[in-house]
């Protein structure tokens, strides 16, 4: 699949997870997010070769496996290539077992060690937010925590790659429990991106490019607020554990989970919104009958 043009010298490879390619004017290109696996990485390298470009560096916006799973294959072809990521996310990319470990809360079973949660390790270096030169490309890294503990959106003039700070409408509809580590910060970050001026094109990590940044941010914020409201209604149905609330939320949203990976991801979303509701004083937390229960206040 050929790269699609966003602006002069700025391209993307459309897929379940988008990869961004920024030319450095010297025959090289910065690769931003390398996709889930070797298959995506192969397509990315083929697309580069069609434009007679070679990778000059890799930037991973965050440490979720679907955004850095292609690193290993690209590094096998270009072993001297440098990889960068936000500091907290770089630690996980170096030690990817931390992702399923944190989701499960202990050493994860084999069912949680699939490529969707456990990418191959790669030697990512910590890179601070702000304007940086990476692989010969000057870019603005905007810190947008919430979906992940520490994530960057990347701006090149009038083009914004929002990573998973904003999702396309199709993704929001398909996945009503949009993943987050901190739902409160997720909303703050979406609002921050939506308020940026001078952006002509925004590309979500999952979805197609759009021209209306403000409207995309509002759509995302509405989806996040619906999740918070759904979790609150689940608590109002009676004291329950996180897993019991997850079942109630999935019933309300007509979600059917069929594998362990979906269960731990969706459980984390419910837990994040519960933490936000606790902080707002809208729910309470108690331990009774050897169960940690969330209650209506």
């Amino acid at each position: 699949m050929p790269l699609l043009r966003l602006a002069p010298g700025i391209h993307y490879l459309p897929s379940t997870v988008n990869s961004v390619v920024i030319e450095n004017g010297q025959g090289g290109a910065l690769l931003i997010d390398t996709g889930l696996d070797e298959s995506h990485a192969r397509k990315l390298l083929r697309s580069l070769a069609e434009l007679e470009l070679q990778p000059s560096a890799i930037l991973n916006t965050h440490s979720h496996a679907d955004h850095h799973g292609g690193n290993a294959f690209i590094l096998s072809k270009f072993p001297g290539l440098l990889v960068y990521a936000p500091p907290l996310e770089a630690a996980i990319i170096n030690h990817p077992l931390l992702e399923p470990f944190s989701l499960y809360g202990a050493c994860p079973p084999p069912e949680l060690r699939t490529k969707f949660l456990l990418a191959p390790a790669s030697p990512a270096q910590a890179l601070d937010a702000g304007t940086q030169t990476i692989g010969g490309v000057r870019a603005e890294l905007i810190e947008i925590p919430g979906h992940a503990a520490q994530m960057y959106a990347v701006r090149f003039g009038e083009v914004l790659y929002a990573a998973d700070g904003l999702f396309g409408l199709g993704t929001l509809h398909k996945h009503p429990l949009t993943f987050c580590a901190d739902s409160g910060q997720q909303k703050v970050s979406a609002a921050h991106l939506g308020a940026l001026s001078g952006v002509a094109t925004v590309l979500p990590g999952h979805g197609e490019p759009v021209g209306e940044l403000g409207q995309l941010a509002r759509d995302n914020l509405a989806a996040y607020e619906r999740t918070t409201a759904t979790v609150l209604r689940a608590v109002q149905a009676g004291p329950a554990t996180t897993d019991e609330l997850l079942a109630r939320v999935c019933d309300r949203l007509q979600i059917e989970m069929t594998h362990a990976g979906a269960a731990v991801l969706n459980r984390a979303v419910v837990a994040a919104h519960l933490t936000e509701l606790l902080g707002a004083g809208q729910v309470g937390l108690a331990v009774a009958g050897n169960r940690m229960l969330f209650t209506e206040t």
Side-chain angles (χ1 to χ4, degrees):
M1 179 180 294
L3 296 173
L4 300 182
R5 182 179 181 273
L6 291 169
I10 305 175
H11 319 270
Y12 80 104
L13 180 67
S15 188
T16 306
V17 177
N18 294 318
S19 293
V20 179
V21 174
I22 314 295
E23 297 182 38
N24 66 9
Q26 300 175 342
L30 170 65
L31 309 183
I32 306 176
D33 291 340
T34 60
L36 177 65
D37 54 17
E38 178 180 325
S39 174
H40 182 95
R42 285 182 181 275
K43 294 174 186 176
L44 184 55
L45 290 183
R46 281 200 298 269
S47 298
L48 280 179
E50 289 173 4
L51 295 181
E52 298 183 345
L53 296 171
Q54 286 198 345
S56 58
I58 293 173
L59 171 65
N60 296 131
T61 59
H62 61 294
S63 64
H64 293 166
D66 58 341
H67 287 257
H68 71 97
N71 286 8
F73 178 76
I74 293 172
L75 290 172
S76 73
K77 302 299 180 181
F78 298 90
L81 206 60
L82 296 180
V83 180
Y84 299 95
L88 286 176
E89 307 300 309
I92 300 172
I93 294 169
N94 277 277
H95 305 283
L97 184 63
L98 291 171
E99 183 178 356
F101 200 109
S102 64
L103 288 167
Y104 184 63
C107 185
E111 290 81 359
L112 298 179
R113 298 186 185 219
T114 69
K115 67 179 181 180
F116 299 99
L117 295 178
L118 182 58
S122 53
Q125 301 182 29
L127 188 65
D128 291 332
T131 301
Q132 302 280 4
T133 298
I134 317 162
V137 171
R138 194 78 167 161
E140 180 185 0
L141 309 182
I142 305 169
E143 191 164 353
I144 48 168
H147 174 77
Q150 188 180 38
M151 179 172 63
Y152 292 158
V154 190
R155 182 171 184 174
F156 311 89
E158 295 184 341
V159 176
L160 174 71
Y161 175 52
D164 288 0
L166 298 173
F167 294 87
L169 291 182
T171 301
L172 291 174
H173 293 150
K174 184 178 180 181
H175 302 287
L177 282 179
T178 306
F179 185 82
C180 58
D182 185 322
S183 59
Q185 286 191 322
Q186 183 183 44
K187 294 170 185 174
V188 171
S189 292
H192 175 60
L193 290 178
L196 294 176
S197 61
V199 174
T201 302
V202 55
L203 177 69
H206 305 262
E208 298 179 352
V210 297
E212 291 292 330
L213 172 59
Q215 185 58 55
L216 183 63
R218 288 190 290 273
D219 290 336
N220 275 259
L221 285 166
Y224 304 157
E225 291 291 358
R226 282 194 297 270
T227 301
T228 306
T230 303
V231 173
L232 178 58
R233 287 196 296 271
V235 174
Q236 291 169 340
T241 66
T242 304
D243 286 307
E244 290 164 344
L245 291 169
L246 171 60
R248 293 177 189 176
V249 167
C250 287
D251 287 344
R252 288 178 180 271
L253 298 177
Q254 298 183 321
I255 295 171
E256 182 179 0
M257 299 183 296
T258 59
H259 55 87
V264 294
L265 289 169
N266 287 332
R267 187 184 191 278
V269 176
V270 170
H273 286 269
L274 285 169
T275 298
E276 182 183 357
L277 289 165
L278 279 166
Q282 293 182 271
V283 305
L285 178 64
V287 175
N290 291 324
R291 297 163 73 218
M292 188 172 74
L293 301 174
F294 294 89
T295 61
E296 184 178 7
T297 55

